[in-house]
């Protein structure tokens, strides 16, 4: 009976580098980290020279601002996600726009919606029409004679 151990698998599974976070992950401080720092500071303060009221209020205000910014970012992310679904409601409808350098408006049926660098476009035929250029949106009508 042999007691051989596969060194390559042991090295991979027991490496100290498995749980190392990247620099970006380490440097991002959120409200949880800020709260831990604040509670550690309060727990380890010098009793003969406690934290001044104004300093404590300033830190709490900073924490409150951080929490509000976090909530605002979440709301913006949710809002931008909703925008795409609102723009998708135009798929199948007829839009009119005036391209740069054109004399009159062009009309076409929206086949899809596209997003690029925060800007939204209607896909009409082979063109990407910026939503800011659209002057009219209407239901497609089929005339029968």
């Amino acid at each position: 009976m042999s007691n051989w151990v596969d060194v390559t698998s042991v090295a991979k599974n027991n490496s100290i580098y498995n749980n190392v976070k990247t620099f970006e992950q380490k440097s991002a401080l959120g409200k949880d980290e800020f709260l831990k720092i604040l509670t550690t500071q309060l727990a380890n303060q010098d009793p003969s020279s406690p934290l001044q009221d104004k300093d404590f209020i300033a830190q709490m205000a900073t924490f409150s601002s951080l929490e509000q910014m976090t909530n605002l970012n979440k709301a913006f992310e949710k809002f931008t996600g909703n925008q795409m679904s609102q723009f998708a409601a135009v798929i199948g409808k007829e839009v009119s726009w005036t391209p740069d350098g054109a004399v009159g408006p062009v009309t076409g049926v929206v086949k899809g919606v596209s997003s690029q660098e925060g800007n939204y476009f209607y896909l009409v035929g082979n063109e990407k029409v910026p939503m800011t250029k659209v002057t009219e949106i209407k239901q497609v009508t089929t005339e029968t004679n």
Side-chain angles (χ1 to χ4, degrees):
M1 181 175 208
S2 70
N3 291 330
W4 290 97
V5 176
D6 183 8
V7 178
T8 57
S9 67
V10 170
K12 288 179 186 173
N13 294 333
N14 294 326
S15 175
I16 61 170
Y17 299 107
N18 285 344
N19 295 325
V20 175
K21 294 182 178 179
T22 64
F23 176 75
E24 290 79 15
Q25 290 172 323
K26 286 184 195 176
S27 64
L29 288 177
K31 62 182 180 180
D32 292 336
E33 290 79 14
F34 185 83
L35 193 57
K36 285 178 188 176
I37 291 170
L38 184 62
T39 54
T40 303
Q41 181 183 9
L42 288 174
N44 296 314
Q45 68 180 340
D46 182 11
S48 63
S49 175
L51 189 64
Q52 298 294 318
D53 288 344
K54 62 182 178 181
D55 296 333
F56 184 72
I57 290 170
Q59 287 181 347
M60 290 307 294
T62 303
F63 177 72
S64 178
S65 296
L66 176 64
E67 187 173 20
Q68 291 301 320
M69 283 190 284
T70 302
N71 294 339
L72 192 58
N73 282 341
K74 288 179 184 176
F76 279 138
E77 287 172 8
K78 191 182 288 186
F79 176 70
T80 56
N82 289 340
Q83 271 189 313
M84 184 64 95
S85 62
Q86 289 174 351
F87 295 141
V90 179
I91 295 174
K93 295 190 177 170
E94 187 176 85
V95 294
S96 297
W97 74 98
T98 305
D100 292 333
V103 178
V106 178
T107 302
V109 177
V110 177
K111 302 290 183 189
V113 178
S114 172
S115 173
Q116 185 178 357
E117 296 177 6
N119 298 314
Y120 290 92
F121 300 88
Y122 290 125
L123 304 176
V124 182
N126 292 332
E127 291 192 55
K128 287 173 98 172
V129 180
M131 293 187 180
T132 55
K133 298 269 185 184
V134 173
T135 56
E136 185 178 58
I137 301 172
K138 60 183 178 180
Q139 201 67 33
V140 176
T141 56
T142 55
E143 296 180 20
T144 56
N145 290 340

